[in-house]
Amino acid sequence: MFSAIYIEAEVKDHPRVGEILRRFPQLPHIECTRYGELFNRKAQNFRLQKAAPALILARKHGNLVLPTPAGYGFESGPGFYFSHMLNCLYDCRYCFLQGMYQSAHYVLFVNYEDFQEQLQQFMATQNKAVFYSGYDCDSLALEPVSGFCRFILPLFAQNPQAILEIRSKSTQVRQLLESSPLNNVVIAMSFTPEKDSARWEHRVPSIAKRIDALQKLQAAGWPVALRFEPVMFGPEGLQPYRELLQQLADALDLAALHSVSAGEFRMPSAFYKKLVKLYPDEALFARSTIVSDGMTTLATADSDAMAAFEALLLAHVAPSQYYRCA
Amino acid sequence: MSDRQQGSVLNLVVAHRLEARPLIESLGLASAGRVGAAGFETYSNEAGIRLIVSGMGKAAAATATRALAELPNADHPTDRHVWLNIGIAGHRSLPVGSSMLANKLVDAQTGQVHFPTLLLPGPASGCLVTVNEAETEYPLEAAYDMEAAGFFAAARSAGPLELVQVYKLISDNPQHPTERVDRALIARLFADKRTEIIDFCTALRCLGDDYNLPRRPSPAIDKLLQSLRMSVSQQHQLRRLGQRLQALGQSSYLLALADRPPASAQLLLRSMERFLIEAGNRGPTGNSEY
């Protein structure tokens, strides 16, 4: 799972660190001063590291809960995001994290209590705030090791006015299924069509397995949501999305979905340039692109493709359930 | 192109001739002359493995590493090299004859710390402290050498960190002090780990290939670069357009262009861009329905 475990000196005696180290006695345990001396080093190669990433156990300082960018998420009320982890177990070729970080190592911040405290402060002052987990990582993929969701869910059980979105492509939902569902905790699963997933979403559970996990969560009473990001059109146009939506409609009660969102492939141009350097041989990045306001998107032959996709989507879900990602 | 060296260049930095000899024999290296102001001895083979004998100490290791980095790679000038410092070290607890990769390098003099990235299968890893004089007390649970920190600091500036590694053979410990390290022992240490060393070198070169091969311009691009006058900016554009065409499975178009290049670089770049827009819209299958 990991090539090594690095431990920040500050957390070496943290009980959570001890627990994780005992779980992986065969791995090298290497002490460092601050996680940045590994994670933020220049001249690292994300692509090479992704073959065998290490786990870095660290303490997160400063602001742990941050306001979301304008237009992010499903509510117009105050939105915040937090990341107990940096980087993702999966290896999606289109992922912006490859452009954002110098390193493919996973950083797990073990000071969960500090996250809890700052979330509580926001909950006390912000009515109906929405908190997003999974911006800088997959929220559930490392749950068997981190136990972060198990730790944080009781806070949301005690604060039903606050909403939590757990965004994931993981099928690690056993712990959720063993708990009572919370109406204010939304499990949002991301999907791309089958062929795209097989081609670009390395190490990600299959679409069938993800749908199965969502189905179980929905049956257990958890609010579930669908995220179509990034929407990318190939030579077959909308057909792969038709098939995907049919698969989802066959398994889930779409009318009961908490929300559905879609967003085109887009990322800051600086990140995109870095991706191109990492993967000069990747067909996805050989496509023509459009750069506007510092963001790069894929050029498509049909400028109405996204609108056509939305029309297809809205044949399955109500307009009130849908929002387009900014 | 079959006479070109295909794999990534592997640079071995070794402190002493006694450590170099078994590697020269195992890897089929031949003398390649002296380099740098200090006249470091170098050896190489046609497969792209080069070895430099740096002499003792971290300053010598750093200087030798830089000298080796400056040697040109005529076949693939844009490649990044793969680096390995290999040699003997003392250790507080590991038995003589064991081997290790460095996962943490401490320069005892400056306190500077480096973390080589662990990506490859190989022996167990551990902390390595680079000291100025042979360590006889072994105060930490670590290995001790006199070169690695100098080597690493110099090699890391020559390419991706992941391609810089340090491999040590344990030659001494509290039960077997440095005075008992001799020519015969060094030969035996290297002989016993010959397979492991060769396997690690091979894996390291493969990692280098993972980095270098996707970046190498195709022979068609090389040909176009030679046949048309281009500014530096146009050369960069051509290389990237060539990569995009290859990624989209359009190498045959590239070869056709190389055989019959347009009249100018400007025309060449424009026609490649136009073709790419159409190829991208067709998708990798060539289906143009969408």
Side-chain angles (χ1 to χ4, degrees):
Chain A
M1 191 174 212
F2 314 118
S3 57
I5 303 181
Y6 295 91
I7 308 113
E8 260 189 10
E10 195 182 345
V11 298
K12 69 177 181 185
D13 297 321
H14 196 290
R16 215 163 268 130
V17 168
E19 207 176 301
I20 292 171
L21 294 182
R22 279 192 295 278
R23 230 181 128 153
F24 298 100
Q26 76 286 8
L27 294 179
H29 298 168
I30 307 160
E31 199 172 306
C32 61
T33 308
R34 286 285 291 140
Y35 80 88
E37 69 185 310
L38 277 144
F39 195 71
N40 297 332
R41 288 180 297 178
K42 287 185 177 160
Q44 296 187 89
N45 186 277
F46 198 103
R47 180 176 182 170
L48 295 181
Q49 278 189 9
K50 199 66 187 172
L55 175 67
I56 305 173
L57 302 173
R59 178 188 176 86
K60 176 110 171 152
H61 294 266
N63 294 325
L64 278 54
V65 182
L66 297 160
T68 53
Y72 186 90
F74 52 81
E75 295 278 330
S76 54
F80 302 92
Y81 74 96
F82 59 94
S83 298
H84 69 288
M85 197 177 155
L86 307 180
N87 268 329
C88 177
L89 258 62
Y90 306 135
D91 185 17
C92 297
R93 193 55 59 246
Y94 51 72
C95 181
F96 75 99
L97 293 176
Q98 302 166 110
M100 190 160 84
Y101 295 136
Q102 304 283 349
S103 167
H105 294 328
Y106 315 123
V107 182
L108 177 66
F109 298 113
V110 296
N111 52 323
Y112 300 170
E113 292 75 10
D114 295 334
F115 282 92
Q116 185 184 41
E117 193 183 318
Q118 289 198 18
L119 285 166
Q120 270 171 328
Q121 286 167 8
F122 280 99
M123 286 172 180
T125 55
Q126 305 280 344
N127 194 31
K128 288 198 169 184
V130 185
F131 297 92
Y132 297 92
S133 168
Y135 183 76
D136 296 317
C137 65
D138 184 290
S139 300
L140 291 176
L142 201 67
E143 182 63 16
V145 174
S146 73
F148 181 77
C149 286
R150 189 172 63 240
F151 175 87
I152 212 73
L153 285 182
L155 176 67
F156 285 87
Q158 291 155 18
N159 292 275
Q161 80 288 359
I163 297 169
L164 171 65
E165 178 187 290
I166 295 175
R167 189 173 291 199
S168 184
K169 287 192 186 94
S170 170
T171 54
Q172 300 282 358
V173 296
R174 196 178 68 185
Q175 189 268 324
L176 292 170
L177 293 172
E178 287 169 358
S179 316
S180 299
L182 297 171
N183 285 332
N184 58 330
V185 174
V186 182
I187 318 302
M189 196 79 87
S190 304
F191 290 95
T192 58
E194 189 91 53
K195 272 189 192 167
D196 291 351
S197 180
R199 192 166 178 200
W200 290 314
E201 295 178 344
H202 309 294
R203 305 180 203 167
V204 176
S206 69
I207 286 176
K209 284 185 179 165
R210 275 181 271 165
I211 292 176
D212 183 57
L214 267 192
Q215 195 177 29
K216 285 177 182 156
L217 287 166
Q218 195 175 47
W222 286 91
V224 299
L226 300 178
R227 303 284 174 254
F228 297 101
E229 279 194 78
V231 174
M232 295 179 289
F233 301 104
E236 293 164 304
L238 281 179
Q239 187 53 29
Y241 283 98
R242 275 194 201 96
E243 289 165 16
L244 174 62
L245 283 168
Q246 194 54 55
Q247 256 183 295
L248 289 160
D250 290 344
L252 302 171
D253 178 358
L254 297 187
L257 290 175
H258 171 274
S259 56
V260 178
S261 70
E264 291 174 278
F265 176 96
R266 70 211 178 283
M267 70 175 68
S269 296
F271 293 2
Y272 185 80
K273 278 183 191 165
K274 209 174 143 199
L275 261 63
V276 168
K277 278 190 180 168
L278 285 172
Y279 297 94
D281 51 341
E282 171 56 59
L284 179 62
F285 305 136
R287 293 190 187 181
S288 300
T289 54
I290 298 165
V291 179
S292 173
D293 291 332
M295 297 292 281
T296 296
T297 55
L298 295 179
T300 53
D302 181 354
S303 57
D304 295 330
M306 193 63 189
F309 171 70
E310 286 178 318
L312 178 67
L313 203 52
L314 291 170
H316 288 83
V317 300
S320 60
Q321 290 174 289
Y322 175 71
Y323 71 92
R324 186 169 180 171
C325 299
Chain B
M1 308 301 290
S2 58
D3 58 333
R4 292 178 88 173
Q5 149 258 321
Q6 294 301 306
S8 301
V9 167
L10 169 63
N11 289 327
L12 301 170
V13 179
V14 178
H16 202 280
R17 209 175 289 152
L18 288 176
E19 296 163 311
R21 190 163 297 145
L23 293 169
I24 290 165
E25 285 166 13
S26 299
L27 299 167
L29 306 176
S31 176
R34 292 179 176 271
V35 300
F40 297 110
E41 278 176 51
T42 64
Y43 299 83
S44 66
N45 66 16
E46 290 195 350
I49 300 179
R50 312 194 296 200
L51 182 148
I52 193 163
V53 183
S54 68
M56 306 274 273
K58 66 176 184 184
T63 309
T65 301
R66 282 191 287 270
L68 199 51
E70 281 168 17
L71 292 183
N73 178 359
D75 287 337
H76 302 291
T78 59
D79 271 15
R80 299 294 187 170
H81 295 176
V82 174
W83 292 89
L84 182 64
N85 170 226
I86 183 164
I88 58 169
H91 198 282
R92 184 182 190 172
S93 61
L94 282 181
V96 170
S98 44
S99 56
M100 64 168 265
L101 294 173
N103 61 33
K104 183 176 182 176
L105 279 172
V106 183
D107 184 328
Q109 186 185 19
T110 64
Q112 198 177 11
V113 178
H114 304 281
F115 294 94
T117 310
L118 298 173
L119 289 176
L120 301 172
S125 66
C127 180
L128 175 64
V129 183
T130 297
V131 290
N132 284 346
E133 288 174 16
E135 177 59 62
T136 53
E137 299 296 318
Y138 312 98
L140 301 172
E141 180 54 33
Y144 291 87
D145 87 334
M146 295 171 66
E147 289 83 27
F151 155 79
F152 198 88
R156 67 166 291 180
S157 61
L161 270 174
E162 292 75 18
L163 302 184
V164 185
Q165 299 288 332
V166 175
Y167 176 103
K168 294 288 164 181
L169 289 161
I170 303 307
S171 58
D172 53 279
N173 59 26
Q175 289 74 46
H176 187 279
T178 49
E179 297 78 45
R180 288 166 63 184
V181 178
D182 58 18
R183 182 185 296 252
L185 175 70
I186 293 172
R188 183 168 63 77
L189 294 178
F190 277 86
D192 288 351
K193 295 291 179 184
R194 183 180 182 275
T195 306
E196 183 179 275
I197 291 168
I198 290 175
D199 287 351
F200 188 73
C201 287
T202 304
L204 194 51
R205 289 189 83 190
C206 287
L207 192 68
D209 289 347
D210 288 347
Y211 181 87
N212 287 317
L213 298 188
R215 288 170 172 76
R216 282 186 187 166
S218 72
I221 293 295
D222 282 344
K223 201 170 168 185
L224 285 164
L225 284 167
Q226 283 160 16
S227 56
L228 292 168
R229 283 188 61 180
M230 291 188 203
S231 67
V232 173
S233 161
Q234 284 173 326
Q235 289 176 28
H236 285 309
Q237 282 181 63
L238 174 64
R239 286 195 185 96
R240 179 58 193 143
L241 289 168
Q243 284 175 337
R244 289 176 62 193
L245 284 164
Q246 281 184 291
L248 289 170
Q250 304 293 346
S251 300
S252 54
Y253 169 75
L254 211 49
L255 290 169
L257 271 182
D259 285 342
R260 286 186 178 184
S264 72
Q266 208 173 5
L267 279 174
L268 169 71
L269 297 174
R270 207 179 297 153
S271 61
M272 287 172 83
E273 277 164 4
R274 204 177 311 121
F275 186 88
L276 266 167
I277 290 169
E278 288 162 15
N281 292 341
R282 278 198 301 273
T285 60
N287 181 340
S288 58
E289 280 173 23
Y290 178 68

